[in-house]
Amino acid sequence: MSVSGAEDRGPTLRRSLNLGHAVLYGLGVTVGAGIYVLVADTAGRAGIHAPLAFLVTAVLVGLTGASLAELGSRYPVAAGEAEYVRRGFRSDRMASVVGLLVIAMAIVSAAAISVGAAGYVRVFIPVPELLVIASVVIAMGAIATRGIVESVTFAGVMTLIEIGGLLTIAAAGFFTEPQVIARIPEMLPASFDASIWAGIMTASMLAVFAFVGFEGIVNIAEEMENPARTLPRAIFLTLAITTSLYVLVMWVTLVSLGPQTLATAKAPLAQVFERLTGGSPRVMSAIAVVATLNGIVVNLIMASRVMYGLGRSGALPAALSRISPSTATPVLATTVATAIALILALAMPIGQLADLSARITLVVFGLVNVALVLIKRSSTVSPDGLFKTPIWVPIAGTLSCVVFLVADLAIALKG
């Protein structure tokens, strides 16, 4: 049974999110831990060319974004990726597998961000790391069980704070660091040196984790007002804003600290904030706490919505599709997602969690792109009023995912 064709089983999700809500959600689940955590590692791999790695990743991820925009406007349901694959491959089993992968991706991301959040929180509250991780995950899980507007509004406020911190760094760099603009040409490699481009590609693979999350917008489609119009706009706005922030902050940080210093920095954004503004690095550490906590909330929301969709379709226990009459949210699904994220956060280091999240994401993206190709080839008529993309876009999106996965495998074998 399809998600979209499920029977009424009691309270349903409430259509109450507008474009502003959707973009704030998308930014909240995308911006944050990636840029706050990965700046140093990306510089270590690509050096002065690190911003280019984010641009390469943005272009390739954007192909999948366009595919999701069309699929989301065609089928505005929770557990979106699973429904797209079910319709494209005409297989309930494939849909269930993809749905489980999306749940895993969101939960693993939440766990990774939780570990990163603990490091920032301990700057202000010096208590054992495991206790901080447990407290953070449980508290963010509790927030995610509230009504969707309340949860997204909370995440939105935190998103504005974390973006404000990134904009402060970017603005300070352009106003106080005279070389920021003059050195822009250095971002581009002067030759086709294989070692340089290998560094850019490995950094691009790492940057995938920084973009993980924007696809979660499709999983709140059932809670959007006019999803056929709102969802595509939210996806493209999220990707455009995210990419601009990443490139600006990465470049300012590189010019201010230098590639070598940045590559070994433990709190790179806090260091560059202190250098450029003269303010205490604890200010940026506090903003980093906000960014990471925000990432946990939105990933738990995404995981719970996919659980809800799969529970309603029969792929997971029906109890996961139950909606609380008071909050209009899937409380049991959110609780389960929170519990699994807590276990992973306590058991695995952040590096392994980030790598695992990126790999799962690329597999899901590849399958979603293939699904759209199959849908376009089998469908002779498309409903009016939907966002539509040329068939070469999902084909290119599929190939980009394959390239990233093959590159990742080659890097792992070489290591």
Side-chain angles (χ1 to χ4, degrees), residues 342-409:
L342 176 59
I343 293 171
L344 291 174
L346 294 175
M348 296 176 66
I350 189 171
Q352 292 181 13
L353 290 168
D355 287 340
L356 180 58
S357 176
R359 290 163 187 158
I360 296 172
T361 299
L362 289 171
V363 172
V364 172
F365 282 3
L367 291 173
V368 165
N369 279 297
V370 173
L372 181 56
V373 173
L374 296 175
I375 290 170
K376 282 181 168 291
R377 292 186 63 182
S378 63
S379 177
T380 57
V381 179
S382 297
D384 293 331
L386 300 183
F387 175 85
K388 299 172 186 176
T389 188
I391 195 168
W392 66 263
V393 171
I395 292 174
T398 302
L399 293 175
S400 71
C401 293
V402 172
V403 168
F404 267 120
L405 287 169
V406 170
D408 180 56
L409 178 61

Side-chain angles (χ1 to χ4, degrees), residues 30-40 42 54 120 162 166 209-211 242 245-251 253 268-269 291:
T30 309
V31 178
I35 192 67
Y36 280 93
V37 173
L38 298 180
V39 169
T42 306
F54 280 104
Y120 288 117
E162 68 189 56
L166 297 178
F209 181 70
F211 284 91
T242 299
L245 281 171
Y246 285 174
V247 173
L248 284 173
V249 171
M250 188 77 239
W251 183 243
T253 306
L269 296 188

Side-chain angles (χ1 to χ4, degrees), residues 232-269:
R233 292 183 176 187
I235 287 176
F236 291 124
L237 281 172
T238 296
L239 284 175
I241 295 170
T242 299
T243 302
S244 299
L245 281 171
Y246 285 174
V247 173
L248 284 173
V249 171
M250 188 77 239
W251 183 243
V252 167
T253 306
L254 273 168
V255 173
S256 299
L257 297 182
Q260 294 182 341
T261 300
L262 177 57
T264 58
K266 298 300 182 182
L269 296 188

